[in-house]
Amino acid sequence: MKLLTFRSEGVARIGAYVDGLAVDLHTAFTALLESKGKRRARQIAEAYIPNDMNGFLEGGKESMAYAKEAVDYALKVKTDKERRLVFPAEEVKLEAPVPKPGKMICVGHNYKEHILEMKRELPPYPVVFAKFANTVIGPQDDIPFFPISEQLDYEGEFAFVIGKKARNVSQEEALDYVAGYTIVNDVTYRDIQRRTLQWLQGKSVDGTAPMGPWLVTADELTDPSGLEMVVTVNGEERQHTNTANLVFTVPYLVEFLSNLMTLEPGDVILTGTPGGVGFARDPQVFLKDGDVVRIEIDKIGALENKVKKRLR
């Protein structure tokens, strides 16, 4: 499945994207249970398919199975008791698939070409840092460019989302703990990032983590290696790599991170950016008002956002 968070009539809902349609999973599952004569259908639906992504992911494989049943039912009936179960995608606003991750863990220096262009050595362990939920915006939102710097940079990243509580997980078991995969742009204010040894300042500004357009579930994308990624700015290719080039793979990162901390459903892990960032180009080139950044990854789709100057 391609899992969504979308907004319709001012209400945020979780959904599934199918052939240009957004299926309202919570409402569809409620309607399905009612059609079977289930008592307390709304309460059951709230328990297994609540209207927030983190809560849904906590339900694990059972909730995923119910979601698939709900999609089949919704596509068949479309409406139920004057409730819309299916929306044309162009009529709704897509939000980030995980709008409020509990943790956003980023991996720096995880593609060899990016490590070399930043004039650093291959790290013996993953370089990790954090972004926070305030940075998350959706695939249809503009990237805000605040007047705190002129060095706004792009970083196309392949990301995965944790699907169940993980602590001391081995690489062999790691992919069982991944709910799915998405795209994130780790937008960075470079001079702010580099004014101290810690990068957090330049990474944590509001709106610096566009995410989406959806979350491709792990049963659909079974192998996170070998995926081509291309990043363009205004149609010009800036970054191009393959996830086979990751220094630290998805299974390695699950093992490494879960040995440091407990990973929870809805935690988002950004696996790093390849070579070609604006800071490392000669001459350097940074994003400006009106630029369009597009990140395409095989088997996931494309995330495209426009940069918009903001006064505050």
Side-chain angles (χ1 to χ4, degrees), residues 26 29-30 33 41-52 55:
H26 175 75
F29 188 48
T30 303
L33 293 171
R42 290 186 180 181
Q43 291 88 340
I44 295 170
E46 182 61 34
Y48 286 102
I49 307 183
N51 245 333
D52 73 280

Side-chain angles (χ1 to χ4, degrees), residues 28 31-32 70-80 83 85-86:
L32 172 60
V71 169
D72 291 341
Y73 181 76
L75 294 176
K76 181 170 61 178
V77 303
K78 301 292 194 300
T79 61
D80 181 89
R83 295 173 297 190
L85 310 183
V86 176

Side-chain angles (χ1 to χ4, degrees), residues 48-116:
Y48 286 102
I49 307 183
N51 245 333
D52 73 280
M53 189 62 74
N54 293 26
F56 170 70
L57 294 176
E58 287 176 357
K61 292 182 179 179
E62 196 170 10
S63 288
M64 288 284 187
Y66 284 139
K68 290 178 181 178
E69 291 183 30
V71 169
D72 291 341
Y73 181 76
L75 294 176
K76 181 170 61 178
V77 303
K78 301 292 194 300
T79 61
D80 181 89
K81 297 178 183 177
E82 299 183 353
R83 295 173 297 190
R84 293 181 68 183
L85 310 183
V86 176
F87 299 78
E90 63 270 14
E91 293 183 8
V92 303
K93 182 180 185 295
L94 298 187
E95 306 283 0
V98 187
K100 296 181 180 179
K103 293 189 283 294
M104 289 186 74
I105 304 166
C106 307
V107 181
H109 302 153
N110 203 19
Y111 286 94
K112 292 179 182 178
E113 67 269 31
H114 181 53
I115 297 169
L116 294 174

Side-chain angles (χ1 to χ4, degrees), residues 163-179:
K164 61 181 179 179
K165 188 174 181 178
R167 178 67 180 160
N168 296 324
V169 172
S170 69
Q171 290 191 52
E172 291 72 25
E173 301 173 305
L175 293 185
D176 292 338
Y177 290 79
V178 175

